[in-house]
Amino acid sequence: MSDSLSALQLNNQNSSDNDIPLSYLKRLIDCGIIDLNGVAENIMTTTKVLKKHPYAITEPKDSNGYWRTHYIDDNGKRKDIKCKTKEELIKRLVRIYTGIENANKITFEKLFWEWLDYKKEMTSSANTIKRHIQHFNRYFKGSEMEKKPIGSISEIFLEKFCNSMVKDYNLSYKEWGNVKTILNKSFSYAVRMGYITDNIVPKIEITVRFRQIFHKDSSTQVFNTEEKKQLFKYLDNKYSETGDSSFMAVKLNFYLGLRVGELVSLKWSDISDDKIHIVREEIRNQQNNTVTVEEHTKTHTDRYVILVPTAKNILIKLQEKFGHNEYIFTRNGERITSRQIAYVLEKFAERTGVKVKSSHKMRKTYASTLAANGVSLDFIRQELGHSNLSTTLRYIYNPMTEQETKEKLCSALEESDKNI
């Protein structure tokens, strides 16, 4: 900066009345309003563009004429350009070759749908695409952001818009993360396509408060020991009556802690020694309501889950009856679905008069039971197939009854008193 500034430090006394005083220019530079490096970069950009432009630039024939040239657009079509001055023509070429021209034509709405088409080719999850569309329609459709050209979206504008969004919709930090993903990925795509030169999304700061999230009560998130006892009795009786493997699938998952899509996709070939290989899952396409089994898990990483003796005994009984099928859990020779697992839990709640707990609560109960009995959190993380321990911690609740909790509390405190 000092070398560049010295070039400006000419004889200030020789400046005409119409010139900007150099002392004022220095203040503008010191305050960051004028960036000499940026000026130099713009000059270099103009030079590069003129070298890149392969077509002739013709001068006007008279004072009323135009400077002219042409270029070939992305569709292979010739586009003629004419401007009153050479400077204007060059500026137009700079805008074209740097993508600024497109940036002023492409609105955020058009960018979103273009990015989403690209995203569809990069993901196998139709449900992810559906969620992006839902978030766009909720938070951007009809807003001042929707029809705004991406080239005119400044960091300040975007920061104000996002802060207003968080405040107006009372967003939690997690929900804001879903919205920010759309912004960040769309702008990143625009940079890669050459529409804009910089992704400003990571630079914005949210200063308003997010909606506070309260930790859910254990009674709603896990089956406690009494509830498990009652449920297991129900499952054993129903299996004895019907021979329907879905009842044993529910019981087994309290010893495996699988995602329900993984549970109903288990095959007999996945069992080896004292472990079961978790390598696939059932996927429900929410757009067309179809169900398929995909040869990958949610995180696209396989894992092995330990089979405790009770789990092995359940599998031995099932194998005696269904071992000739490919999938472990079947009905009339057909693989049972996640919906049938949910139906079992709904019927249990209906017949016992308790509130329905989803199939995902079995997974939380598994994790919470291990944690309550001193199993390493990192081991629980591995068993659940989580990448981050922070995710696992959100699965940990108190799986004991109120009486059991009080007894354990008293025992722990009284035991500590013995050491005083």
Side-chain angles (χ1 to χ4, degrees), residues 61-297:
K61 294 180 180 180
D62 53 53
S63 59
N64 294 321
Y66 293 88
W67 286 80
R68 297 175 183 271
T69 188
H70 72 277
Y71 71 99
I72 305 301
D73 68 11
D74 293 338
N75 297 318
K77 294 182 179 180
R78 174 181 169 133
K79 297 288 184 179
D80 293 321
I81 306 173
K82 63 177 184 177
C83 296
K84 271 293 184 181
T85 66
K86 186 177 182 180
E87 289 74 18
E88 289 177 2
L89 187 71
I90 292 173
K91 284 181 180 179
R92 180 75 188 281
L93 289 174
V94 169
R95 294 172 69 84
I96 290 168
Y97 285 109
T98 58
I100 296 174
E101 189 87 353
N102 282 333
N104 285 331
K105 292 179 181 178
I106 298 177
T107 64
F108 177 68
E109 178 191 27
K110 289 180 67 176
L111 174 65
F112 168 75
W113 290 109
E114 187 176 323
W115 164 72
L116 202 66
D117 286 339
Y118 164 78
K119 177 72 174 177
K120 289 176 184 177
E121 301 298 322
M122 306 298 290
T123 181
S124 59
S125 176
N127 297 336
T128 298
I129 299 300
K130 182 179 180 180
R131 282 194 296 272
H132 285 324
I133 294 173
Q134 289 172 338
H135 287 133
F136 177 84
N137 289 338
R138 177 168 174 77
Y139 299 114
F140 297 104
K141 197 170 183 63
S143 72
E144 59 181 332
M145 181 82 171
E146 183 185 16
K147 302 296 183 182
K148 196 169 182 66
I150 58 172
S152 67
I153 298 175
S154 68
E155 185 178 334
I156 294 298
F157 170 84
L158 188 60
E159 191 164 272
K160 286 181 178 179
F161 176 83
C162 291
N163 274 274
S164 294
M165 182 199 302
V166 172
K167 182 179 179 181
D168 294 344
Y169 286 94
N170 194 23
L171 297 184
S172 66
Y173 182 78
K174 181 179 180 181
E175 184 66 2
W176 158 243
N178 293 329
V179 178
K180 187 178 180 181
T181 294
I182 291 177
L183 287 168
N184 193 40
K185 297 297 184 181
S186 294
F187 274 74
S188 178
Y189 173 82
V191 171
R192 295 174 68 186
M193 290 297 293
Y195 301 152
I196 54 177
T197 58
D198 186 30
N199 179 5
I200 60 175
V201 177
K203 300 176 184 178
I204 66 173
E205 182 180 358
I206 302 300
T207 56
V208 298
R209 290 186 178 182
F210 293 105
R211 173 168 52 87
Q212 183 173 340
I213 300 298
F214 294 94
H215 194 65
K216 296 174 182 177
D217 187 80
S218 295
S219 64
T220 66
Q221 297 303 301
V222 295
F223 293 83
N224 66 34
T225 48
E226 275 303 315
E227 290 170 333
K228 275 176 62 178
K229 183 178 179 180
Q230 190 178 10
L231 174 59
F232 281 10
K233 183 177 180 181
Y234 169 81
L235 296 172
D236 289 338
N237 289 338
K238 294 301 293 182
Y239 180 69
S240 296
E241 292 174 12
T242 65
D244 190 333
S245 67
S246 59
F247 294 104
M248 285 298 98
V250 172
K251 185 174 182 178
L252 180 65
N253 206 35
F254 282 93
Y255 299 97
L256 300 180
L258 306 183
R259 301 177 180 94
V260 67
E262 296 171 341
L263 177 69
V264 298
S265 301
L266 291 174
K267 296 181 179 181
W268 291 111
S269 57
D270 297 329
I271 301 173
S272 60
D273 299 326
D274 292 335
K275 295 181 179 180
I276 190 163
H277 195 193
I278 313 303
V279 71
R280 73 188 69 81
E281 66 172 344
E282 175 194 270
I283 299 291
R284 179 177 294 276
N285 187 320
Q286 296 177 4
Q287 292 182 309
N288 56 27
N289 201 33
T290 57
V291 174
T292 57
V293 172
E294 303 291 338
E295 292 298 318
H296 60 76
T297 64

Side-chain angles (χ1 to χ4, degrees), residues 14-30:
N14 293 333
S15 299
S16 68
D17 292 339
N18 293 327
D19 292 335
I20 300 174
L22 289 181
S23 59
Y24 181 62
L25 283 174
K26 184 179 184 304
R27 287 201 299 273
L28 292 176
I29 293 167
D30 291 341

